[in-house]
Each structure stands twice: as structure tokens, then as C-alpha cells.
Amino acid sequence: MSGPKGFLDHYQELIGTWTRKLRSRQQAEDLAHDAFVRVLENPREQVEQPRAYLHQTARNIAVDGFRREDRRQALELEAFAGDMAAGDDPEAYVHALELADSVERALAELPLNCRRVFIWQKLEGLTQAEIAERMGLTKNMVEKYMIRTLRHLREHLDVSAR
């Protein structure tokens, strides 16, 4: 069986690869952490190529995350479209879609933790204390992430409105 050492030899390489792919070192570190946790929690009888196995695990986690995000966005858009259809105001509908697109682009520019805090608080209705517990952070840090996110959204949306 390949021990943890066989996998840990590839830690820096994994972060480097995913930093380039995701264009975010923080997201790459989060992904590497998740990959290592998954690999070490689910030991196999024999892993012939720990490097390849680790990279494939990271790739699978990333794909799962993208799929989850796509599903969430599709559900939000469906719910939003249903609300707008009831109003029968095409201008308001188009404006709302443009606003949602602007918010999505602005959120994509932020680090993963800022996005998580925003989504969990604003879309899923979690409290800052619940988010802090979920992320292993202090409530104060969660609040700082939210403030940073809201400032960024305000600046981004002010520029988009001009």
C-alpha cells in the first residue's frame, strides 16, 4: 500500500498544477486539501502510481464542484425566471438577468472563501456563526469576508451601471 509519504511527495506539484488551472492559489490549496483528505480517508489495497491517483482525485473533486455550481446556478435561474414570468415585464426581466450576470462575474473575481461566505449567508440563509463553524474560522473572519465581498460587489456593480 502506498503510504501517506508517497502522496505527500506530490503536494507542491498538485498545488502548482491547480493554481495554473484555477488561477487561484487559495482554490488550489483548498482542492489539494480535499484531495489529500479523500485519498487518506479511503485507503486502497495498492496504489501503483500515487501521483496519478492524487491528480485524478483532485480532477474528480474539481469536476464535482463545477457540476454542483452549474446545477445551483441553473436552479436559481429557473426560480428567478419563474418569478419574472409572473410579472410579464420584459425590460425588468432583461435587467434582472443582466444584474445576475454582473453579480456572478464579480463573485468569480473573489477568493473561494469570500464566495462561500456570500453564498451560504445570502442564498442558503446560514448565520455567520454557522458559517464560521462550517469553515473552521472565527465569526469575525467570516464577517470580514462578507464585508470584502459586499464592497467588491458594490464597486463592480457601480462600474457596470455607468
Side-chain angles (χ1 to χ4, degrees):
M1 174 192 278
S2 296
K5 176 76 170 112
F7 290 108
L8 291 174
D9 290 341
H10 306 289
Y11 179 75
Q12 290 301 324
E13 176 189 352
L14 187 68
I15 289 179
T17 298
W18 284 97
T19 297
R20 285 186 302 279
K21 288 182 180 191
L22 298 172
R23 296 187 180 130
S24 167
R25 180 154 178 100
Q26 179 65 44
Q27 286 179 327
E29 288 173 350
D30 289 344
L31 181 62
H33 174 266
D34 293 346
F36 273 91
V37 167
R38 187 175 291 181
V39 165
L40 296 175
E41 284 182 346
N42 299 312
R44 302 277 188 241
E45 288 300 314
Q46 181 66 27
V47 175
E48 296 294 324
Q49 299 177 351
R51 178 181 173 271
Y53 186 77
L54 186 61
H55 278 274
Q56 185 61 49
T57 299
R59 187 175 304 111
N60 292 344
I61 292 170
V63 168
D64 289 346
F66 290 130
R67 285 182 182 152
R68 250 190 329 276
E69 184 66 20
D70 285 347
R71 259 194 318 274
R72 183 192 60 77
Q73 288 175 1
L75 289 173
E76 288 173 7
L77 186 57
E78 283 178 29
F80 184 71
D83 290 345
M84 290 308 297
D88 288 331
D89 183 356
E91 282 186 41
Y93 178 72
V94 169
H95 177 69
L97 286 177
E98 290 171 352
L99 179 61
D101 188 49
S102 293
V103 169
E104 186 177 337
R105 279 194 314 270
L107 286 174
E109 296 171 355
L110 290 165
L112 180 61
N113 283 345
C114 289
R115 292 193 310 262
R116 282 182 177 162
V117 168
F118 181 82
I119 289 168
W120 287 341
Q121 186 171 344
K122 296 297 184 182
L123 300 180
E124 295 184 18
L126 296 177
T127 66
Q128 288 185 351
E130 291 169 327
I131 295 168
E133 183 178 330
R134 185 182 276 193
M135 295 178 75
L137 301 171
T138 64
K139 187 178 171 196
N140 188 36
M141 194 66 214
V142 170
E143 185 176 341
K144 286 180 183 180
Y145 281 136
M146 181 55 81
I147 289 169
R148 179 179 177 188
T149 303
L150 293 174
R151 273 192 192 127
H152 182 75
L153 286 172
R154 188 177 318 114
E155 290 168 5
H156 183 79
L157 296 177
D158 284 347
V159 168
S160 295
R162 293 179 191 158

